[in-house]
Structure formats: C-alpha cells, structure tokens
Amino acid sequence: EVQLVESGGGLVKPGGSLRLSCAASGFTFSSYSMTWVRQAPGKGLEWLSSITSRNSDSSYADSIRGRFTISRDNIQSSLSLQMNSLRAEDTAIYYCARENDAGNYYFDYWGRGILVSVSS
Amino acid sequence: SSELTQDPAVSVALGQTVRISCQGDRLRMYYASWYQQKPGQAPLLVIYGQNRRPSGIPDRFSGSDSGNTASLTITGAQAEDEADYYCSSRDSSGDLYVFGPGTKVTVL
C-alpha cells in the first residue's frame, strides 16, 4: 500500500524557517518524481514544486522560488521542503504527492497533509 | 503565468448527471487530471490522461477533452460525490503544473 506521511509542520514567525518531510513507503520511491502542493485556509490547491526521479531536477512556482528548496533522499525514501523567509501568506496545509510524468501528468497518491502556520 | 478556469459551483439532483468544465490554453497540449476533495481530506485523483480512472474510482466518473476544454462528468451523482473538484495540467512551458480554482459540487 502506497503511503505518504508528512511531518515537520507547526507555528513559525514571519521570516522564519521550517523543514517539511514526507516519508514514502509501499512503492519504489526512486522511480517516481515527487511534488509538494499546498492549500491555504478556505482556498484552492496550489502546486509548489516538483523533483524528478532520474536526476533530481527541480521546478518551482513563482510564489516560492528562491525561498523554498525541494530535495529527496532515495535511500531513505523521503522528500523534503526547506522553507525560508516564511510569510503569513505561506500559511497552509502542505501535501506531498507522488507524480506521474511519463506522458500523462498527474498526482496519483497524496499524503494527509501537514499544517504550517506563519504568524507573530 | 497562464491559468485554468472552472465554474465556482454547480448543483445536481441525486441520480442525475453533472458536467464540470476546465478551460485553458495548455489543455490543447496536455490532458487534464481531476481531483476530488472532501472537507478535511486530501485530494483524490479521479480522472487522468484520456479518460482513465484509477483503481477504485466508480465508473460514473468520466473525462473528456475538446480543444482548450476538459470536462469531468458524473453520471448518476451520489450523495458522496458532493465535494470540491479541481483540474490540473502542465504549464505551457512543460515544466510546471497549475491547478484550476476548483468547482464545488452540491448534490441535492
């Protein structure tokens, strides 16, 4: 059974940093690209960042580029998101998701999400 | 960056059919994927590619594509289908993703 479990969320002050992790199991982690998506309170889904399986190439949404960094550890089957210079508008539930990018592009498994609150 | 657009909300009588649309230029290049999200839950993939359903998704969910519009159809809507539905596609650059704003489906 595919499982994705996020951790590392919490309350942080504006300008602070936080590192999210996503522990993956039930599939060959090294064979899949992975993604972070967030959802601000009462808002829609926002794609944030993806990292490929093959060479760990990464891509970022404009809203987080230069502040957030995605990474992966194929040995530990884990995905991370280092979040720096956090702003109030970064408050959201953060989801990790498994990505399929071989022709069709979609996210077939999602974690339950982790809450990040940015407030003074 | 370019966008995907969706109707904010639609309603459907129990057992009837509802179609949700998603429009955007990038849909001429890439298939949309569709996600169902119920309150307090993570999104769930319901349609991807050319009208493909993941295992466990009822066959009352189907997808179609025409030009710059992708559609999700629920044929014989059930009470448990009441949820927010989001479309997603690759960005025109091919490197990024974008989600539509979501459609709230109410089953009457």
Side-chain angles (χ1 to χ4, degrees):
Chain A
E1 177 193 7
V2 172
Q3 285 196 322
L4 299 170
V5 180
E6 301 92 343
S7 61
L11 176 63
V12 61
K13 289 181 168 52
S17 297
L18 211 56
R19 187 178 181 86
L20 302 183
S21 296
C22 173
S25 60
F27 66 102
T28 305
F29 181 77
S30 59
S31 296
Y32 288 87
S33 297
M34 297 294 294
T35 285
W36 288 99
V37 174
R38 72 182 178 187
Q39 186 169 36
K43 303 296 185 182
L45 302 174
E46 179 187 12
W47 173 83
L48 295 179
S49 181
S50 292
I51 187 166
T52 64
S53 60
R54 292 170 291 279
N55 50 15
S56 291
D57 281 346
S58 57
S59 53
Y60 298 93
D62 289 345
S63 60
I64 65 162
R65 187 176 293 115
R67 298 190 299 126
F68 292 11
T69 302
I70 192 172
S71 61
R72 64 188 297 157
D73 183 336
N74 287 339
I75 304 299
Q76 298 292 328
S77 295
S78 67
L79 176 72
S80 296
L81 187 68
Q82 177 67 41
M83 304 186 296
N84 299 331
S85 304
L86 283 161
R87 307 165 179 167
E89 54 264 36
D90 296 318
T91 294
I93 295 173
Y94 286 71
Y95 298 99
C96 71
R98 192 177 81 169
E99 182 181 333
N100 274 266
D101 57 359
N104 293 313
Y105 299 93
Y106 56 95
F107 312 113
D108 56 354
Y109 289 94
W110 297 65
R112 297 180 71 174
I114 191 83
L115 178 63
V116 171
S117 296
V118 184
S119 174
S120 55
Chain B
S1 61
S2 51
E3 298 178 346
L4 297 175
T5 60
Q6 296 182 245
D7 292 332
V10 296
S11 60
V12 57
L14 184 67
Q16 296 304 301
T17 296
V18 63
R19 175 174 288 183
I20 306 162
S21 65
C22 173
Q23 289 189 305
D25 286 343
R26 64 176 55 77
L27 297 178
R28 298 183 187 277
M29 301 171 58
Y30 302 104
Y31 287 114
S33 53
W34 290 92
Y35 304 87
Q36 176 194 70
Q37 188 181 35
K38 298 179 180 178
Q41 297 185 17
L44 174 71
L45 176 70
V46 294
I47 290 290
Y48 67 96
Q50 191 172 13
N51 189 24
R52 302 188 68 176
R53 280 177 290 107
S55 174
I57 301 301
D59 61 4
R60 63 179 179 271
F61 290 89
S62 63
S64 61
D65 306 274
S66 178
N68 71 337
T69 302
S71 299
L72 173 70
T73 300
I74 310 174
T75 304
Q78 302 299 303
E80 61 264 32
D81 300 334
E82 187 163 288
D84 294 325
Y85 290 84
Y86 296 91
C87 59
S88 178
S89 179
R90 292 288 260 189
D91 180 86
S92 55
S93 71
D95 292 330
L96 313 181
Y97 286 89
V98 64
F99 284 94
T103 297
K104 182 176 182 61
V105 172
T106 300
V107 180
L108 304 173

